[in-house]
């Protein structure tokens, strides 16, 4: 298998997505292996991260590889004015793979143009977050037994939420029905609604997170209103607490309903929801390890016993 970048979820066909999910299942059953012995992975995080960075680094270590990189660009030469191009080309001398998060949309694509080693996008601005999407898909598949014909309700920050943008694009292969729940300031961007129309994906928009929507959902995907995406703090304060999931709101939900969240959460899911069997966001984060093991092996061209 040849080495492959993962910049956008668009890079993957339906068959490739399903193979990655099967590979994630393989790693869930066999997480500790030495198949990356001698390989070095650079994790370059120009933007803060906890789950994504730690799960990528854990994935490398459980597969026997080694890690270099940084989680604080202030401690690197970028703080001295070094360009992204120079940073990527310099790190390419030391690593077999670069996993990168950057605050600018398009940064990961740009990185692929200035180096020959594979790039995995760990989030670029408000654009995409393909590794999160693959762990989301794996979580949905595990809990629903299928990815086909599901009703998925996305709640909160749909304007800046790169996780919902990537998930929407990936689900085009599986005939979903979407509900978009957001205030006027944070509605799903027109480009993604036009994408749904072009792909024949059914969706409805709501400003009210009501019981009827909850009771007819297979997946509820909650999101945090991201303070870091706002230039006007007053606008953030105005919208940050508009949508909140409480345990009592799940009393009449479908038995198969699962609550997902890319984390971190602030106030959008009450703590008492955590003990509800429908809450799946911590298991979802755990699935990130297996999905990212699969992504790393794909990027490095590692052959595995997976059909």
């Amino acid at each position: 298998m040849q080495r492959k970048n993962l910049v956008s979820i668009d890079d993957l066909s339906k068959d490739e997505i399903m193979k990655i999910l099967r590979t994630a299942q393989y790693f869930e059953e066999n997480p500790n292996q030495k198949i990356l012995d001698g390989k070095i992975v650079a994790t370059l995080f120009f933007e803060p991260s906890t789950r994504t960075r730690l799960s990528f680094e854990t994935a490398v270590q459980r597969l026997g590889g080694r890690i270099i990189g940084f989680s604080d660009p202030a401690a690197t030469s970028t703080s001295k004015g070094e360009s992204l191009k120079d940073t990527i080309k310099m790190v390419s001398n030391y690593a077999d793979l670069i996993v990168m998060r950057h605050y600018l949309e398009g940064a990961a694509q740009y990185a692929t143009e200035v180096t020959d080693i594979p790039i995995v996008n760990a989030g670029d601005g408000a654009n995409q977050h393909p590794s999160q999407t693959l762990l989301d898909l794996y979580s949905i598949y595990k809990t629903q037994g299928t990815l086909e014909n599901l009703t998925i309700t996305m709640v909160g920050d749909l304007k800046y939420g790169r996780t919902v943008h990537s998930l929407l694009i990936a689900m085009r292969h599986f005939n979903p029905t979407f509900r978009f729940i957001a205030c006027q300031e944070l509605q799903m961007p027109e480009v993604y609604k036009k994408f749904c129309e072009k792909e024949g994906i059914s969706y409805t928009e709501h400003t009210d997170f009501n019981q009827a929507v909850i009771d007819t959902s297979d997946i509820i995907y909650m999101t945090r209103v991201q303070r870091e995406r706002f230039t006007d703090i007053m606008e953030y304060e105005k919208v940050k607490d508009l949508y909140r999931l409480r345990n009592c709101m799940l009393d009449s939900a479908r038995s198969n309903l699962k609550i997902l969240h890319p984390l971190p959460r602030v106030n959008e899911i009450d703590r008492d929801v955590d003990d509800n069997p429908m809450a799946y966001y911590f298991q979802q984060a755990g699935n990130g390890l297996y999905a990212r093991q699969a992504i790393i092996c794909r990027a490095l061209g590692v052959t595995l016993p997976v059909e």
Side-chain angles (χ1 to χ4, degrees), residues 200-252:
I201 297 171
S202 175
Y203 74 89
T204 55
E205 293 186 276
H206 311 260
T207 55
D208 182 21
F209 188 29
N210 61 51
Q211 198 64 48
V213 167
I214 293 170
D215 290 351
T216 53
S217 297
D218 298 304
I219 296 291
I220 294 178
Y221 197 101
M222 300 296 296
T223 66
R224 170 178 66 97
V225 176
Q226 302 173 79
R227 180 173 181 172
E228 62 270 27
R229 305 295 178 207
F230 285 77
T231 54
D232 185 341
I233 192 62
M234 294 305 294
E235 284 298 308
Y236 167 75
E237 292 293 332
K238 177 181 169 184
V239 301
K240 67 175 184 176
D241 293 324
L242 286 180
Y243 300 104
R244 189 165 188 166
L245 182 63
R246 296 175 170 84
N247 199 38
C248 62
M249 299 165 70
L250 301 173
D251 289 346
S252 54

Side-chain angles (χ1 to χ4, degrees), residues 131-188:
S131 72
Q132 176 72 43
T133 302
L134 288 163
L135 77 88
D136 291 345
L137 292 173
Y138 186 49
S139 298
I140 294 169
Y141 186 78
K142 280 182 66 176
T143 61
Q144 305 300 313
T146 184
L147 293 175
E148 301 284 352
N149 304 313
L150 297 174
T151 297
I152 300 175
T153 297
M154 296 175 165
V155 185
D157 183 357
L158 307 188
K159 180 177 181 180
Y160 299 111
R162 58 193 172 199
T163 62
V164 294
H165 299 161
S166 292
L167 182 58
L168 184 155
I169 291 170
M171 287 300 299
R172 75 189 187 276
H173 300 296
F174 305 104
N175 193 37
T177 297
F178 283 112
R179 276 80 164 274
F180 301 145
I181 315 291
C183 60
Q184 292 294 330
E185 294 88 343
L186 294 175
Q187 287 189 347
M188 186 66 73

Side-chain angles (χ1 to χ4, degrees), residues 82-138:
E82 183 175 67
S83 68
L84 177 60
K85 176 182 178 180
D86 287 1
T87 299
I88 295 297
K89 291 186 78 67
M90 180 271 296
V91 172
S92 297
N93 292 318
Y94 313 137
D96 301 289
L97 167 67
I98 292 175
V99 177
M100 186 177 80
R101 169 171 288 190
H102 203 281
Y103 50 85
L104 291 178
E105 295 182 22
Q109 178 60 44
Y110 176 73
T112 68
E113 297 167 4
V114 298
T115 183
D116 292 328
I117 72 169
I119 301 291
V120 171
N121 181 9
D124 61 331
N127 184 29
Q128 286 214 27
H129 196 349
S131 72
Q132 176 72 43
T133 302
L134 288 163
L135 77 88
D136 291 345
L137 292 173
Y138 186 49

